[in-house]
Amino acid sequence: MRRAAQVYIVENDTYLAHHAAHRPPPCVDLWELFAGQARMTELAQEYELNALQPMDLRFGQDFKDASTRDYIMHKIKKFKPWLIPMGVDCRLWNQFSINLNWSSPERQEQLQVLQQQERLLVHFATDVAKEQYMNGRFFLIENPLRSRLWQEPALQELLALPGVWSTTLDAGAYGAEVDGQPICKPMRWVGNAPGMDLALHRRLDHLEKQYCTPVQGTLTRRSQEYPDNLCRQILQELRAIAFQKEPTRFGRPLHHVLAVSYPTTDLDAWNDVANYISGAYERSNKRPFEIPLDTEMGRNIQQLFRVKAIKIQACFAPTCRRIPSNVDEYFTRAAFLQYMDKTRAVEVEDLDEIQFPRQRFDKPVEIAVFAYGFRMMAPEHREQAPASSDKPAIVPGLMTDVSFDTKEALDSTIKRSAFDENYNPKLRAELVRCEAWVRLGASTTLVTAEQLRTAHGFEDWTPDQEDIKALKNAADSFTQHMLEDERGELKAKCRIVCLGHLDPDLELLDRSAPTPGRTTEMLMLAMITAGANGELFETQLKWHAWTADAATAFLQGQQPSERPMELYMYPPKDGLIEMTPCWSHPLYQVMGNVYGLANAPALWCSEVVARLKQLNYTRHSFDPMLFIKREGQQIVSMILVYVDDFIGVYRSGYPIEEVKNAFAWGSFHDLSKQVVTFKGKELHLHQLANKRWKLKITMSKFLNGLTPAKLPKGRTSSPPELTPTEQREFRSVSGCLQWASTQCRPEIGAAVSLSNQGNETTCHNLKDLYEAMSFLKNTPHEGLLMQDIPVNTKTVIASAADEASDRAAYVNMTLSEILFDGPAHRLGCRVDYVQTTDAKSLYDAICSEAPNLTDKRSLCNVRAIQETVDKSRMHWLPSNCQFADGLTKVSELLRTTFRKWLNAPFSILLDHPANEGLLSGIASCTKEKKTSENLKPPDCHVGTTDSFHAQS
């Protein structure tokens, strides 16, 4: 060991004795300063890059120490790293943090003192960047987009250097997340690595930003970590730079042979080019001009030269060959020459073969075409995709990664792809180029050329008679068979959509377009049920319910007056439009509403409000998308509008035709005559044997479309932390179940809300979601049942205690405005109000005038309940009567019990012998094994408040 150490010391001294100019090229590719998590350093080895130990305060290096800064500058000169990324601490420079935490004058003075101390680090970062810049190496500096750091003179001086660029990106576009939730996090990067700014420019669009979690509070610190995809993008660009600087690295040969194409030998093929250039010079002066590469003529010239050009120039009577000084990075020059004697010649030569760059021509030239670029590769020597070992290609040399797991998936894909070539672009490459035969048993069927052929998995597929029929009928009857698959009929739809993000008045437009709340929607469904039974409000008349969707909603409305100038749009251009007589003018003025405009929803909303107001409808003060029409003091019609979907109820005798005539409808349905779909839910308004109407809300179509899943075998015995793939699966499943639970399946709400543990979420939580999904798949026709109870001034609202009291008060006031015709916030809770709880301690605290609670927050909640609920209307009930426990606890028994109760809901408010049959009925239902059997509505005792036992 001592001998080895002595040898090392001698070698090191010999290396340091040489001048820096005589030392080997840099042996380090990456060195992270202000490194944070140093994720780039961790990933560098995957890209065969060398990295020094990252340096940051968390690793024990304080850059405010002069000795540390001198040490770093010395090591930079010694190791000469190709790239030094630096993420300077932004806490004192971020504009959002300054506005939030340093707004007062006293805090502003403290901030200035702290910023003055931090400027030492800012100057150090710029010194490192200048050291890299002056020695032909590269740097990166990052900070938030709105950071005041970019206004510092040191950064401004750095940005003024030639070759230093600045780019903006969203970390969310590279997969940035905090606690499993996507974030936006706009960043600004400054650097000098050529081409790296083009790779670091991804931004989120407006729709993607809507799904991002705001970065605030405790999330701010964790959001400063760079996402892996961003680090990998930087490392990929660094690897390309390192290879360019050191071609022998990464195991690549220094020289390799490429087979290239030679230009066409048929000089007559240049006739069109010669005629085009001759005609151009006859109509204009004789100056040289460039031919655009993306035109038909430009592409034709490139194909004749067999050169991928970056510049094409036409000349009249040139005297010598040319080497342009304003074209960078080209390897081949080509020339087509037509001499004065009408003979022709084509020249293509590489730069390393040119001996006389500006040699004069042998004889006078009439016209010439010069091209500069790179030779095209010969077709037979282009790189072939490696053949798959387990799934051979059907068409030789044509590889895809399309496969089919089931015959049903193949059926659907065959039919849809024949109709829509964009349905799966990978499949379009596999269109059968000749006739093929499909064998079924002893019979063989010919499949015509337009039939779609699968890429992989075709050999293992055994077709049956239905498959053969689908293939044959695909050619015989396009309309009947190509537009149908397992998901139903495909309806073709075409819309002209403007690029609204290019609207010049985007910042001036009012884009507010409210949608109704879920509470109002449920009240509307309850009133539809009561109206069907003639028990809505104070009348005995029959009420009729309807749903409809407006046709071409976003084409209705007028442009607002806040636009300072008139708005124009270019017409759409594609192959389909060109085959029609439409859109024949080069420019169109936008007079009304158009799909794609940022204010299109707001214009449509204003149009709905205006038209319904003309019919004397008024808007609800709590929910402006609920419209009510009164005649005198009585309500005759109500309409709830969700964008272009309408649902309403009207009294017998009301002329609903005035509403039908006010809009152009795509469809208009009567709920009593058919099952309708509203916002993804099926509404079944049906009449029972006792002539009573009830409304059942289901989501069977959505639930049948879900694919059940379960954890792999043995997963629960491995580490419980979720893998990245499982995290994505968790978010996907959770989103689907959340939608179902908030619409009509509340019994799975506990499984959804309690399974998300943030960073602590495990595979066991994912298993709970899978079980909830299987529960829904086994009971797709279950849902909410709106009971046939009256909705009038005597309606009783029952709710749970604690936080539910304010929600129930909101429902009470919303319904009070409908019933008593006045603003809800002035009327207050006018409907009879009952509160229940199974928490004895909470019940005692609410009924006590001076509750003894050590938790002051709970005391505030109790006082809030006492203000909205009289203690005489407060009821305690035992836990076996509290069926809402299924909303707060993950239990298969509670979930099943709650589902059975939802099919026949009732409330027990007093302990009475007559109610024992209700509880025994529920208890017996929980012991049933068949989950699809519905619970029949039990008999309930209903009376006045004094003799109230149960409310049906």
Side-chain angles (χ1 to χ4, degrees):
M1 292 294 293
R2 286 194 298 270
R3 181 176 178 83
Q6 292 175 355
V7 172
Y8 173 76
I9 293 173
V10 172
E11 292 177 347
N12 190 55
D13 292 340
T14 303
Y15 175 83
L16 295 177
H18 286 81
H19 190 272
H22 301 289
R23 295 177 191 168
C27 57
V28 172
D29 301 305
L30 178 71
W31 193 13
E32 284 188 271
L33 303 181
F34 304 90
Q37 296 293 329
R39 188 59 179 153
M40 294 185 204
T41 303
E42 294 180 11
L43 298 173
Q45 60 177 348
E46 298 182 17
Y47 294 83
E48 300 177 272
L49 298 173
N50 302 319
L52 283 179
Q53 177 181 339
M55 303 195 77
D56 192 271
L57 189 60
R58 63 174 296 170
F59 299 118
Q61 296 86 26
D62 186 1
F63 295 153
K64 294 182 179 179
D65 186 357
S67 60
T68 302
R69 298 196 301 273
D70 294 339
Y71 173 83
I72 291 174
M73 298 302 293
H74 173 71
K75 295 304 179 183
I76 290 176
K77 295 176 181 178
K78 176 180 178 180
F79 292 105
K80 296 183 285 187
W82 280 125
L83 179 65
I84 298 181
M86 294 172 283
V88 181
D89 193 349
C90 65
R91 286 177 293 179
L92 296 178
W93 307 99
N94 193 334
Q95 186 65 49
F96 178 80
S97 177
I98 293 174
N99 294 339
L100 186 64
N101 302 318
W102 306 90
S103 57
S104 64
E106 296 80 9
R107 297 284 289 171
Q108 284 285 339
E109 294 179 1
Q110 297 177 14
L111 176 63
Q112 293 178 6
V113 174
L114 294 175
Q115 285 181 344
Q116 184 60 34
Q117 298 174 0
E118 288 292 312
R119 282 189 175 90
L120 178 65
L121 303 183
V122 177
H123 288 290
F124 171 64
T126 56
D127 291 341
V128 171
K130 290 178 180 178
E131 175 68 22
Q132 289 287 101
Y133 179 90
M134 297 303 294
N135 289 277
R137 299 188 297 272
F138 312 108
F139 68 90
L140 285 174
I141 297 179
E142 176 274 333
N143 236 242
L145 176 61
R146 296 176 179 84
S147 173
R148 290 188 178 180
L149 183 72
W150 305 115
Q151 302 174 10
E152 289 294 302
L155 266 298
Q156 292 293 325
E157 181 181 352
L158 183 65
L159 284 166
L161 295 175
V164 175
W165 46 257
S166 173
T167 185
T168 303
L169 59 85
D170 290 331
Y174 294 85
E177 295 180 346
V178 174
D179 292 342
Q181 300 297 323
I183 61 175
C184 181
K185 187 69 174 179
M187 298 178 174
R188 183 180 179 185
W189 291 75
V190 171
N192 67 326
M196 191 174 289
D197 57 328
L198 301 179
L200 304 179
H201 69 284
R202 296 186 201 167
R203 304 299 302 271
L204 297 176
D205 59 30
H206 179 71
L207 180 61
E208 291 170 333
K209 289 181 180 179
Q210 293 180 359
Y211 294 94
C212 292
T213 300
V215 177
Q216 56 188 3
T218 58
L219 303 180
T220 305
R221 187 69 176 177
R222 283 174 286 172
S223 69
Q224 296 177 0
E225 301 175 11
Y226 300 149
D228 280 6
N229 289 340
L230 176 58
C231 297
R232 293 182 181 278
Q233 185 69 61
I234 294 174
L235 294 174
Q236 183 177 346
E237 297 297 318
L238 176 58
R239 192 178 193 272
I241 293 174
F243 175 73
Q244 185 179 12
K245 300 292 184 180
E246 303 172 65
T248 58
R249 287 188 62 181
F250 310 115
R252 298 186 185 181
L254 188 59
H255 301 286
H256 58 282
V257 177
L258 294 177
V260 296
S261 298
Y262 281 89
T264 179
T265 57
D266 183 11
L267 295 179
D268 291 334
W270 288 89
N271 289 341
D272 292 340
V273 177
N275 295 336
Y276 170 80
I277 298 175
S278 299
Y281 280 124
E282 289 177 359
R283 296 187 300 268
S284 63
N285 56 35
K286 302 300 188 285
R287 292 183 178 180
F289 63 92
E290 290 188 10
I291 299 176
L293 303 177
D294 56 350
T295 61
E296 182 179 357
M297 182 58 62
R299 290 190 291 266
N300 187 25
I301 293 174
Q302 294 180 73
Q303 189 62 35
L304 293 172
F305 278 137
R306 304 294 193 268
V307 169
K308 184 65 175 177
I310 59 177
K311 180 180 180 180
I312 300 177
Q313 185 183 49
C315 296
F316 182 82
T319 58
C320 61
R321 295 168 177 86
R322 302 188 175 192
I323 292 289
S325 59
N326 59 345
V327 179
D328 298 327
E329 297 184 358
Y330 69 97
F331 187 75
T332 302
R333 77 173 182 183
F336 163 71
L337 308 174
Q338 180 168 299
Y339 299 106
M340 292 294 185
D341 58 4
K342 302 302 180 180
T343 59
R344 295 175 179 177
V346 176
E347 302 175 351
V348 177
E349 52 187 344
D350 299 326
L351 296 183
D352 58 350
E353 301 173 350
I354 298 177
Q355 297 182 356
F356 304 99
R358 300 186 182 276
Q359 186 180 20
R360 297 181 64 87
F361 297 117
D362 296 336
K363 52 184 179 180
V365 176
E366 180 184 7
I367 57 173
V369 178
F370 299 102
Y372 310 92
F374 303 87
R375 289 181 183 264
M376 294 181 180
M377 295 181 61
E380 61 272 19
H381 289 88
R382 289 176 181 167
E383 294 182 0
Q384 301 288 335
S388 173
S389 58
D390 54 345
K391 292 182 178 180
I394 292 179
V395 180
L398 183 59
M399 301 294 296
T400 71
D401 57 357
V402 180
S403 60
F404 300 101
D405 298 327
T406 62
K407 175 179 67 62
E408 290 77 13
L410 175 62
D411 268 350
S412 176
T413 305
I414 288 175
K415 299 171 189 176
R416 278 187 174 269
S417 297
F419 165 65
D420 181 7
E421 66 178 7
N422 294 321
Y423 174 69
N424 193 333
K426 296 178 181 177
L427 292 172
R428 303 308 300 177
E430 289 293 321
L431 289 175
V432 176
R433 303 174 185 177
C434 59
E435 293 183 337
W437 294 89
V438 177
R439 179 178 295 277
L440 177 62
S443 61
T444 304
T445 303
L446 180 65
V447 181
T448 55
E450 67 266 19
Q451 297 302 306
L452 186 69
R453 185 178 185 181
T454 60
H456 294 152
F458 187 86
E459 297 86 351
D460 300 328
W461 173 53
T462 302
D464 56 18
Q465 288 289 354
E466 294 183 358
D467 300 327
I468 300 300
K469 183 179 179 180
L471 289 172
K472 293 170 62 178
N473 290 341
D476 298 337
S477 179
F478 178 87
T479 303
Q480 181 178 357
H481 297 281
M482 287 297 97
L483 301 183
E484 296 181 359
D485 67 353
E486 291 76 6
R487 286 168 285 183
E489 183 180 359
L490 288 173
K491 297 181 179 180
K493 179 182 289 187
C494 178
R495 285 176 175 170
I496 301 300
V497 182
C498 284
L499 301 180
H501 64 285
L502 301 178
D503 193 328
D505 304 323
L506 191 60
E507 297 180 356
L508 304 177
L509 300 178
D510 179 13
R511 288 174 274 178
S512 59
T515 55
R518 194 161 58 244
T519 300
T520 312
E521 181 183 340
M522 289 301 171
L523 277 177
M524 172 62 76
L525 298 178
M527 289 186 288
I528 287 175
T529 308
N533 292 300
E535 298 174 343
L536 181 59
F537 308 136
E538 306 300 333
T539 69
Q540 302 297 323
L541 298 176
K542 177 79 172 180
W543 291 71
H544 307 276
W546 58 277
T547 63
D549 65 278
T552 61
F554 288 174
L555 294 181
Q556 303 182 46
Q558 297 297 321
Q559 287 301 311
S561 59
E562 64 245 28
R563 290 189 181 273
M565 301 179 66
E566 297 174 340
L567 184 66
Y568 293 86
M569 61 172 279
Y570 290 109
K573 294 182 179 180
D574 57 36
L576 182 61
I577 294 294
E578 292 177 355
M579 297 171 63
T580 67
C582 305
W583 303 99
S584 57
H585 298 285
L587 203 63
Y588 289 83
Q589 182 179 358
V590 179
M591 304 294 293
N593 203 357
V594 182
Y595 284 94
L597 292 179
N599 64 335
L603 295 181
W604 163 245
C605 182
S606 301
E607 191 71 16
V608 170
V609 173
R611 295 186 187 184
L612 291 180
K613 281 186 175 180
Q614 289 179 356
L615 301 178
N616 296 322
Y617 280 83
T618 60
R619 306 176 76 180
H620 196 286
S621 62
F622 274 12
D623 198 322
M625 298 314 292
L626 175 61
F627 297 86
I628 306 170
K629 182 170 183 178
R630 288 180 169 88
E631 291 183 355
Q633 297 298 321
Q634 294 186 347
I635 298 176
V636 296
S637 176
M638 290 186 296
I639 301 175
L640 187 70
V641 182
Y642 186 87
V643 192
D644 59 346
D645 293 328
F646 290 61
I647 185 170
V649 61
Y650 64 94
R651 197 179 67 183
S652 295
Y654 171 73
I656 191 63
E657 287 74 19
E658 67 176 12
V659 177
K660 292 183 178 180
N661 296 333
F663 299 91
W665 302 103
S667 61
F668 200 100
H669 303 292
D670 187 339
L671 263 69
S672 62
K673 296 181 179 180
Q674 63 185 112
V675 177
V676 300
T677 301
F678 181 73
K679 289 178 57 181
K681 302 184 290 292
E682 297 91 23
L683 305 181
H684 311 251
L685 185 62
H686 57 285
Q687 192 174 29
L688 305 179
N690 59 1
K691 304 300 183 179
R692 302 286 293 178
W693 291 83
K694 290 189 178 182
L695 178 65
K696 188 173 183 179
I697 311 168
T698 63
M699 298 181 69
S700 56
K701 185 176 181 180
F702 171 75
L703 298 180
N704 288 329
L706 297 179
T707 303
K710 59 182 179 179
L711 293 177
K713 187 176 181 181
R715 174 64 181 90
T716 55
S717 59
S718 57
E721 292 78 12
L722 294 180
T723 64
T725 302
E726 290 174 338
Q727 290 177 356
R728 291 191 294 270
E729 174 72 1
F730 182 89
R731 289 194 295 269
S732 175
V733 176
S734 179
C736 292
L737 298 184
Q738 180 73 20
W739 166 247
S741 67
T742 57
Q743 296 303 307
C744 68
R745 302 302 297 268
E747 66 268 33
I748 65 166
V752 179
S753 60
L754 299 180
S755 295
N756 192 345
Q757 305 294 327
N759 291 333
E760 306 298 327
T761 305
T762 65
C763 63
H764 303 288
N765 301 122
L766 181 58
K767 182 181 178 182
D768 291 339
L769 292 186
Y770 282 153
E771 292 176 352
M773 181 180 289
S774 298
F775 174 80
L776 294 181
K777 289 288 292 185
N778 293 330
T779 58
H781 301 292
E782 301 292 343
L784 283 178
L785 185 67
M786 306 301 292
Q787 288 293 83
D788 53 336
I789 59 176
V791 177
N792 50 46
T793 56
K794 299 179 181 179
T795 298
V796 177
I797 298 179
S799 70
D802 200 6
E803 293 185 4
S805 62
D806 61 340
R807 297 174 182 266
Y810 174 81
V811 176
N812 197 325
M813 287 188 283
T814 302
L815 189 56
S816 296
E817 178 173 330
I818 298 174
L819 296 172
F820 298 100
D821 189 15
H825 61 282
R826 295 179 182 176
L827 290 173
C829 298
R830 298 283 294 273
V831 180
D832 202 0
Y833 189 24
V834 179
Q835 189 104 355
T836 64
T837 180
D838 64 341
K840 191 62 168 63
S841 58
L842 178 61
Y843 172 78
D844 294 337
I846 294 174
C847 294
S848 174
E849 293 185 1
N852 184 16
L853 298 174
T854 57
D855 184 4
K856 302 308 178 186
R857 182 180 296 274
S858 298
L859 179 60
C860 295
N861 292 336
V862 169
R863 289 302 188 194
I865 297 174
Q866 290 175 339
E867 289 183 1
T868 56
V869 182
D870 186 85
K871 63 181 180 180
S872 63
R873 311 302 294 146
M874 188 72 192
H875 292 261
W876 173 84
L877 45 80
S879 296
N880 62 335
C881 300
Q882 180 63 285
F883 305 109
D885 275 350
L887 293 172
T888 59
K889 300 178 179 64
V890 181
S891 168
E892 184 177 359
L893 176 61
L894 289 176
R895 181 190 303 155
T896 305
T897 304
F898 194 36
R899 180 181 65 83
K900 295 294 184 182
W901 179 84
L902 288 172
N903 285 273
F906 60 92
S907 300
I908 295 178
L909 304 181
L910 290 177
D911 188 11
H912 193 277
N915 294 325
E916 294 180 359
L918 301 179
L919 296 177
S920 61
I922 288 290
S924 63
C925 289
T926 60
K927 298 178 183 179
E928 296 176 1
K929 300 301 181 181
K930 297 181 179 180
T931 59
S932 60
E933 183 176 351
N934 292 339
L935 176 65
K936 296 181 179 180
D939 295 330
C940 303
H941 292 265
V942 183
T944 63
T945 305
D946 296 334
S947 62
F948 197 90
H949 304 305
Q951 173 68 42
S952 177

